[in-house]
Amino acid sequence: MLIITIGCSISCKKNTSVENETVTPHETHRLQYHFSPPAHWMNDPNGMVFYKGEYHLFYQYYPDSTVWGPMHWGHAVSKDLVHWEHLPIALYPDSLGYIFSGSAMVDWKNTSGLGTQTDPPLIAIYTYHDAVKAEKGDSTYQTQGLAFSNDAGRTWNKYEQNPIMKNPGIKDFRDPKVFWYEPQQKWIMSLAVYDHVRFYSSPDLKTWTLESEFGKTSGSHAGVWECPDLFPLRVEGSDTVKWILLLSINPGGPNGGSATQYFIGHFDGKTFTNENSDTTTIWLDGGRDNYAGVTWSDMPASDGRKIFMGWMSNWLYGQVVPTETWRSAMTIPRQLTLHKDTSGFRIHSNPVKELESLRDSEFSFQNDTLLTEMDLTSKIGFSPAQMEIILELEPDSVTSDIGLSISNSRGEEYRIGYNLESGQYYSDRTKAGKDTFSPEFAKPIVITQGNLREKNLRWHIFLDVASCEFFADNGAVVMTEIFFPNENYQQLKLYAKDGQVIIRKATFYNMKSIW
Ligand code: FRU
């Protein structure tokens, strides 16, 4: 992001708290089943960790405004990844700086000595951003800090000897993501360092040794590197394990602004080796609104899933979107899996199964023919604003375009679909509603998908008042997009051009609100 320095005393511990504050569900544009703060500014998800039956979600939070400012870690917990309880702010800025992005982990062996073997501590490792130093032109303003909790994340103590990692004189030196590397019994930290990632190791989470660097010449460098996440993932249908390095960049995303790329390769406890060429850039999401996402730490082995969540916005316009009392939501949680596709190894993203618990009324049909347009508004029996959709479609050989349109009585319309001639999926929010807040917002986009003229299409779509998350080709294609209609969408249509499409099966669920 563009760091703006806002005049604020960084040592001020505010009494502001989100404890017991609940989201006001009926505010305009308030998403109904995505995580968002009750009020004020939020960006990156931080410190996502599973501990004692709870999923913790911390997040970049500024409790005094609806735009970015001195960062805190907001906090929420969930037992099912779907319903969230807002907790008090976990980490406040202190004399070392604002609390930027980072990770949290369970120190099972109490390597840090900050808990006990029987009651292992939760550790948070994050970046300190010293705005005063930054303003003076001192480039050492980002350092890493540690905090620990001995009560399942309810209260946090900052480590007395912070910072645990000083700055070597590089302005962008942030977003530590830490995990336990079992084969060598040590912790590994991935850190974003301007145009590359540095890997450090530690026996105790407090002292860190530089192991290697990766990426100065790899992938996209159209923006600053941020929020790395390194983890192993088994290739589906085989025993092969590959290492994935997620890496967010801003600006320079394929559709403008912020986006997340990833690398696939090998990690030996010291060095990450990219198995693709330096010029290969692979994006995690073809939409504009999925940034700074990372995965949950310490998922139980019996579960084994890699679960991802991103910030559902974009630094191009995130601070000016037309929500009045809060800004931004997270994506739905997604399971990441690794597959060998026609274009090589690729991550597939799919909604976590826990979301099924939100399904309310259902409308479905099978084996119908879509010719030009099918208006489903009166058939589904609920508002399309808040909906999960699963479509199995078989276009004939002359169909050139298939899609889904949601619209309202003001003529505002959002479309998402597939152009069979170009083989591109697209999301079109050019007429979706409010867009004058940013010239960058409404530009149309397309993304290319792998299997041109794939015969059987299966789409999984989540609409939530002001967002669409679209999963196709078993999660190989993902588009995450936000929009701001002046009134909730009320009409739902499917459309096809030039040919006809057999709708093998279509299911529409009204989704319950989590608030
Ligand atoms: C990514 C980011 C991080 C930083 C945080 C500050 O969106 O810029 O690199 O730690 O946001 O809020």
Side-chain angles (χ1 to χ4, degrees):
M1 67 163 299
L2 188 65
I3 305 290
I4 317 153
T5 320
I6 296 181
C8 154
S9 154
I10 55 169
S11 57
C12 50
K13 176 164 174 159
K14 305 256 169 58
N15 289 324
T16 332
S17 158
V18 287
E19 186 175 18
N20 299 329
E21 268 189 57
T22 48
V23 160
T24 312
H26 302 299
E27 284 169 288
T28 308
H29 308 308
R30 177 68 85 171
L31 274 59
Q32 295 298 307
Y33 60 90
H34 285 74
F35 179 82
S36 58
H40 303 125
W41 171 261
M42 174 180 85
N43 55 288
D44 313 0
N46 294 151
M48 298 189 294
V49 62
F50 182 81
Y51 187 50
K52 295 191 174 167
E54 290 179 324
Y55 296 93
H56 290 263
L57 168 62
F58 301 87
Y59 52 91
Q60 288 288 280
Y61 186 51
Y62 183 35
D64 293 338
S65 174
T66 49
V67 294
W68 190 90
M71 285 288 111
H72 300 54
W73 272 25
H75 189 195
V77 286
S78 171
K79 290 199 181 339
D80 63 0
L81 282 170
V82 170
H83 298 89
W84 295 96
E85 179 190 347
H86 292 282
L87 293 178
I89 290 169
L91 298 175
Y92 287 79
D94 61 45
S95 60
L96 294 174
Y98 306 165
I99 314 293
F100 270 21
S101 288
S103 50
M105 66 265 11
V106 186
D107 182 10
W108 293 107
K109 294 177 197 261
N110 193 29
T111 60
S112 62
L114 296 168
T116 61
Q117 291 261 0
T118 45
D119 201 10
L122 265 183
I123 307 285
I125 297 190
Y126 53 86
T127 297
Y128 273 119
H129 175 88
D130 185 336
V132 178
K133 266 193 177 176
E135 228 163 61
K136 286 188 188 146
D138 178 340
S139 61
T140 65
Y141 53 79
Q142 293 187 343
T143 57
Q144 316 316 319
L146 184 151
F148 60 99
S149 168
N150 303 113
D151 57 1
R154 278 7 187 221
T155 56
W156 289 84
N157 306 297
K158 304 245 178 73
Y159 179 52
E160 277 181 0
Q161 286 161 51
N162 275 337
I164 54 165
M165 192 184 287
K166 295 205 172 109
N167 186 300
I170 305 171
K171 278 185 184 169
D172 296 289
F173 189 71
R174 60 177 175 268
D175 307 339
K177 181 80 161 76
V178 173
F179 68 97
W180 177 250
Y181 186 66
E182 184 67 25
Q184 294 171 13
Q185 297 288 296
K186 63 185 187 187
W187 297 97
I188 296 289
M189 175 197 291
S190 312
L191 193 73
V193 184
Y194 179 59
D195 60 353
H196 64 282
V197 174
R198 286 192 182 173
F199 300 106
Y200 295 82
S201 71
S202 171
D204 59 4
L205 293 164
K206 298 185 286 203
T207 50
W208 292 90
T209 308
L210 179 63
E211 294 284 353
S212 66
E213 293 185 358
F214 166 76
K216 280 192 175 146
T217 55
S218 313
S220 174
H221 282 276
V224 173
W225 283 26
E226 301 184 317
C227 300
D229 188 5
L230 176 70
F231 53 86
L233 208 54
R234 193 177 52 77
V235 179
E236 291 293 307
S238 87
D239 292 332
T240 309
V241 171
K242 293 189 181 279
W243 284 78
I244 305 295
L245 179 62
L246 299 184
L247 206 276
S248 285
I249 75 163
N250 179 60
N255 302 304
S258 334
T260 301
Q261 59 179 327
Y262 64 92
F263 301 93
I264 304 171
H266 180 64
F267 181 68
D268 60 5
K270 185 175 177 66
T271 309
F272 175 79
T273 320
N274 181 12
E275 68 177 37
N276 291 306
S277 70
D278 268 1
T279 51
T280 307
T281 302
I282 317 173
W283 300 103
L284 187 66
D285 193 311
R288 285 167 280 203
D289 297 301
N290 179 3
Y291 191 61
V294 290
T295 61
W296 250 277
S297 293
D298 296 283
M299 287 296 287
S302 57
D303 182 306
R305 289 177 298 171
K306 256 296 157 203
I307 299 178
F308 168 97
M309 190 180 251
W311 176 48
M312 198 158 56
S313 194
N314 188 315
W315 283 115
L316 267 184
Y317 44 73
Q319 299 192 80
V320 292
V321 295
T323 53
E324 276 164 26
T325 58
W326 85 101
R327 275 213 176 92
S328 312
M330 297 301 179
T331 66
I332 51 172
R334 301 163 182 193
Q335 183 180 357
L336 304 184
T337 49
L338 188 60
H339 300 254
K340 188 157 175 34
D341 288 356
T342 44
S343 41
F345 291 99
R346 290 288 180 274
I347 290 182
H348 290 196
S349 305
N350 280 293
V352 296
K353 62 180 184 320
E354 285 86 341
L355 288 158
E356 291 173 13
S357 70
L358 295 177
R359 291 175 179 171
D360 203 354
S361 10
E362 171 183 345
F363 168 73
S364 65
F365 60 88
Q366 294 188 7
N367 299 326
D368 209 341
T369 303
L370 168 62
L371 255 179
T372 315
E373 195 172 276
M374 184 184 279
D375 192 338
L376 296 165
T377 310
S378 59
K379 294 190 181 138
I380 55 173
F382 45 81
S383 157
Q386 205 172 311
M387 192 165 54
E388 176 189 355
I389 306 170
I390 303 172
L391 296 173
E392 288 172 29
L393 307 167
E394 277 180 39
D396 66 12
S397 61
V398 290
T399 305
S400 60
D401 191 11
I402 319 173
L404 177 122
S405 138
I406 45 174
S407 56
N408 62 22
S409 63
R410 298 186 182 219
E412 294 167 342
E413 182 188 33
Y414 172 71
R415 283 179 172 235
I416 191 149
Y418 182 46
N419 182 317
L420 286 99
E421 287 179 333
S422 63
Q424 288 173 321
Y425 282 95
Y426 58 87
S427 161
D428 180 354
R429 63 182 181 196
T430 49
K431 299 188 188 69
K434 297 171 189 162
D435 60 14
T436 51
F437 54 88
S438 161
E440 300 295 338
F441 185 75
K443 293 177 185 165
I445 69 150
V446 289
I447 70 158
T448 308
Q449 72 98 356
N451 307 321
L452 190 65
R453 286 217 168 270
E454 165 75 75
K455 195 152 168 22
N456 302 319
L457 303 170
R458 189 173 189 281
W459 298 354
H460 201 166
I461 305 166
F462 288 80
L463 297 166
D464 189 4
V465 181
S467 70
C468 177
E469 285 155 286
F470 177 88
F471 304 88
D473 285 5
N474 185 32
V477 173
V478 193
M479 285 192 285
T480 306
E481 294 264 289
I482 57 174
F483 35 74
F484 300 94
N486 279 292
E487 74 184 29
N488 277 1
Y489 294 126
Q490 293 302 335
Q491 283 108 41
L492 170 71
K493 287 177 188 166
L494 298 176
Y495 58 85
K497 282 192 201 137
D498 301 324
Q500 63 178 41
V501 178
I502 310 285
I503 302 178
R504 280 285 165 235
K505 188 157 188 210
T507 311
F508 305 83
Y509 297 99
N510 190 18
M511 294 290 268
K512 290 179 214 158
S513 173
I514 59 169
W515 307 120

